[in-house]
Amino acid sequence: MPVTDSGTLSPAAGAVHQVADRYDAIYSCMVDRGLPITIENGGYSYDNTVLDQGTIDATFDTCESELMSSGEIGADPLDDPAYLSAVFDDLLVQAECLVSHGYPVDEPPSREAWIDSKGAVWSPFDAVADGTVETLAEAESACL
């Protein structure tokens, strides 16, 4: 992860941890409400023969609302253009790192396009992810 000169996480990287903590709290709430989901790698998985997406979405929304009302979590940072802009800056640094290590990197979109998509349209790791799992792991180890 990008660090500042003082050796601490950059503001965007710190915010990424806040986002992860936010979603972990929501997913834990979903489990507490009895949903048979498995929390893993910053997300969750479930058996779609047991649960439907509508139940998942409704429970997610309920948990998010309750946790925000209680103050346990804040608003979704993906709705904050300043946060997204800082993350985009960090991704550009990661892209430079990947190129310097010989990995392929797709051309980034404009900052505005990336922010408008809430980060969905580009990651510096997209081209690397088209390769093997091992290659992706090596690239992440070198540049995250």
Side-chain angles (χ1 to χ4, degrees):
M1 277 185 214
V3 295
T4 64
D5 290 337
S6 66
T8 59
L9 289 176
S10 69
V16 168
H17 287 289
Q18 291 174 358
V19 171
D21 291 346
R22 180 181 196 280
Y23 285 102
D24 284 348
I26 294 169
Y27 302 150
S28 292
C29 172
M30 293 167 69
V31 169
D32 292 345
R33 289 184 171 272
L35 289 187
I37 64 172
T38 302
I39 301 170
E40 58 188 352
N41 300 325
Y44 64 89
S45 63
Y46 63 95
D47 180 347
N48 64 2
T49 64
V50 176
L51 284 174
D52 63 89
Q53 191 62 47
T55 301
I56 292 283
D57 292 345
T59 307
F60 180 97
D61 292 345
T62 298
C63 285
E64 181 181 43
S65 178
E66 288 177 1
L67 292 168
M68 286 179 66
S69 293
S70 71
E72 291 181 56
I73 64 171
D76 189 343
L78 295 179
D79 293 331
D80 179 1
Y83 163 77
L84 290 168
S85 183
V87 171
F88 186 74
D89 288 340
D90 282 351
L91 293 177
L92 293 175
V93 170
Q94 291 172 0
E96 289 175 17
C97 175
L98 289 168
V99 169
S100 74
H101 283 83
Y103 294 103
V105 175
D106 294 331
E107 187 70 26
S110 69
R111 179 181 302 273
E112 181 179 85
W114 193 86
I115 290 171
D116 287 347
S117 77
K118 296 185 178 185
V121 296
W122 176 80
S123 164
F125 292 91
D126 287 344
V128 180
D130 290 340
T132 66
V133 172
E134 294 80 16
T135 301
L136 179 59
E138 291 168 3
E140 288 175 339
S141 177
C143 296
L144 276 182

